Amino acid sequence: MAFTFRTKARSTIHEFELIRALHRRHGRHTPSVIQGIGDDAAVITSQAGQWTVLTTDLLIEGVHFDLRTATMADIGFRAATANLSDVAAMGGTPQHLLVALAIPRTGTSRHVHQLYRGMMAACRPHHVGLIGGDTSASSDVWFLSVTLIGVVPSRKALFRSGARIGDLLYVTGTIGDSLAGLRLLSEPPPHAKRHSHASALSTRHRQFLIGRHLRPTARVAEGQWLSTHRFATSGIDISDGLSGDLRHICEGSHVGADLHLGALPLSPACRAYAASRKLDPVDLALTGGEDYELLFTVSPRQRPRLEQSALKQEFSLTCIGKIHPLRFGVQAMSPHGRRHRLANTSYTHFT
Ligand code: ADP
Ligand code: MG
């Protein structure tokens, strides 16, 4: 149903005008779009030999984001990245975006355009175009639902269920940065505390970690590379935290795993943050979600080809463990060689 409302900010949002403006500013057509924004539904072409990949994410103000620590553009960027990363984790190529939005009375059309600017900034490098959505008024907070459509060559999709005993466990990039960035954003500003430990962290490290939280990178090229070369037997993106996402692979594949904590790829900034707060950076890496790196398994026979090819592509990968039989469970080995069962310490909304 159409809506018009006068926002607290005294601007009037008219649904159809807003949609027209979104179409004008953000609706770009790629060759596979037959009909984008402007009809009852979008129409896209499909190709023989390809599977369709679909993912959707619902974000609610106060639950998933906080407007005191992120701009509308940051929220849009992160929302799009979460979906791009889901397609990447399937080994797919993202193509089309649909966005459903509920706007509170405090919202203005400027907020909406900033949100879309952020989303499209994340999508542009991947040539993903906006093809539709839905718009509503909300009684109190912002709701944002992002749906992404992509493709993967038939039979090359990367599932959580393909890990085999003896496979090696790999991760892209560095992990723990996003949680460190979130914690920095949630702290009082550095000057507010007299004995601030913020001074122990350089501005460069601080900015890097906050950037990793607000503007994460979806590893789309890496996911495509893993699936097209059939390097990976299984894969997942790290959205809940390494310990939880590893568990998803183990449950999906009916296997156990041994994680080498000394091998976890930690950025210098994450290490510096942990040192300044007297924390163990490994805990940040295990529990921190939203790094959007890929966690995947590789047969040991593929190791030389994988690592050579990664070097050539300039992809950053680290081997962090090995797949074991189910009865082994999920264990972690400390840098000193001591083993313990890995607690599931990932973030969950329902505790
Ligand atoms: P309907 O009543 O058929 O759902 P709408 O008026 O909601 O039609 O939508 C008209 C067109 O605008 C459709 O193509 C729809 O996909 C698109 N659209 C609506 N809201 C948004 C939005 N927030 N972002 C992008 N496209 C939108
Ligand atoms: Mg509609």
Side-chain angles (χ1 to χ4, degrees):
M1 201 161 58
F3 74 90
T4 303
F5 64 68
R6 211 170 158 74
T7 65
K8 273 194 186 153
R10 288 176 185 281
S11 70
T12 302
I13 292 190
H14 182 274
E15 180 187 345
F16 297 132
E17 273 173 24
L18 181 67
I19 294 173
R20 265 198 298 278
L22 289 174
H23 186 192
R24 219 173 30 245
R25 293 192 197 185
H26 306 289
R28 300 272 176 288
H29 270 209
T30 50
S32 57
V33 179
I34 308 292
Q35 172 66 56
I37 294 175
D39 211 309
D40 296 317
V43 179
I44 54 176
T45 56
S46 56
Q47 267 182 34
Q50 286 187 331
W51 284 345
T52 304
V53 182
L54 296 149
T55 179
T56 192
D57 247 32
L58 174 63
L59 300 180
I60 301 168
E61 181 187 354
V63 180
H64 304 98
F65 61 87
D66 185 341
L67 285 168
R68 289 168 303 184
T69 54
T71 65
M72 291 303 285
D74 293 330
I75 291 156
F77 192 99
R78 278 165 48 79
T81 299
N83 281 261
L84 292 164
S85 175
D86 279 329
V87 173
M90 301 306 291
T93 303
Q95 291 186 320
H96 310 291
L97 187 74
L98 293 129
V99 179
L101 193 62
I103 309 166
R105 296 205 163 271
T106 47
T108 63
S109 53
R110 204 160 152 248
H111 286 131
V112 177
H113 287 300
Q114 282 172 351
L115 182 76
Y116 275 76
R117 244 198 303 284
M119 279 192 285
M120 298 327 287
C123 288
R124 204 165 297 120
H126 307 291
H127 312 288
V128 168
L130 179 68
I131 60 165
D134 198 27
T135 313
S136 166
S138 166
S139 53
D140 51 1
V141 294
W142 288 88
F143 289 77
L144 171 65
S145 168
V146 180
T147 300
L148 193 63
I149 303 174
V151 290
V152 67
S154 319
R155 279 172 284 280
K156 287 199 172 174
L158 216 54
F159 299 106
R160 298 177 180 186
S161 53
R164 297 289 168 261
I165 296 163
D167 281 357
L168 301 169
L169 193 62
Y170 278 86
V171 69
T172 59
T174 57
I175 47 179
D177 299 331
S178 179
L179 179 58
L182 175 65
R183 296 239 180 118
L184 283 169
L185 284 169
S186 317
E187 284 177 354
H191 58 80
K193 283 191 267 168
R194 194 176 283 177
H195 298 292
S196 169
H197 40 218
S199 55
L201 193 66
S202 72
T203 309
R204 190 168 56 87
H205 284 336
R206 207 185 144 75
Q207 282 173 349
F208 171 83
L209 295 170
I210 290 175
R212 288 275 285 160
H213 179 69
L214 293 178
R215 300 284 172 136
T217 308
R219 301 297 183 192
V220 174
E222 287 85 339
Q224 290 170 335
W225 166 80
L226 288 173
S227 70
T228 50
H229 294 275
R230 294 192 195 277
F231 283 140
T233 51
S234 73
I236 191 170
D237 69 324
I238 301 186
S239 52
D240 293 338
L242 176 61
S243 67
D245 289 318
L246 172 58
R247 209 166 285 272
H248 289 318
I249 285 199
C250 288
E251 281 167 9
S253 303
H254 308 289
V255 293
D258 193 15
L259 191 63
H260 299 178
L261 299 183
L264 298 186
L266 304 169
S267 68
C270 183
R271 286 180 196 277
Y273 168 79
S276 72
R277 271 56 170 177
K278 300 196 167 45
L279 299 169
D280 184 350
V282 167
D283 288 337
L284 293 172
L286 286 175
T287 59
E290 302 180 333
D291 280 314
Y292 299 115
E293 296 296 343
L294 299 180
L295 176 68
F296 56 96
T297 53
V298 176
S299 154
R301 277 176 289 125
Q302 292 279 8
R303 185 176 199 159
R305 273 185 63 218
L306 172 95
E307 294 194 349
Q308 249 173 37
S309 176
L311 217 59
K312 218 159 72 196
Q313 303 279 337
E314 298 186 19
F315 290 151
S316 141
L317 310 178
T318 311
C319 182
I320 58 169
K322 199 172 161 183
I323 297 300
H324 282 264
L326 182 64
R327 63 177 178 279
F328 185 90
V330 184
Q331 298 189 26
M333 189 166 69
S334 77
H336 317 104
R338 287 238 302 276
R339 279 227 171 74
H340 63 271
R341 287 207 161 269
L342 190 65
N344 187 0
T345 46
S346 289
Y347 178 71
T348 160
H349 300 295
F350 300 105
T351 48

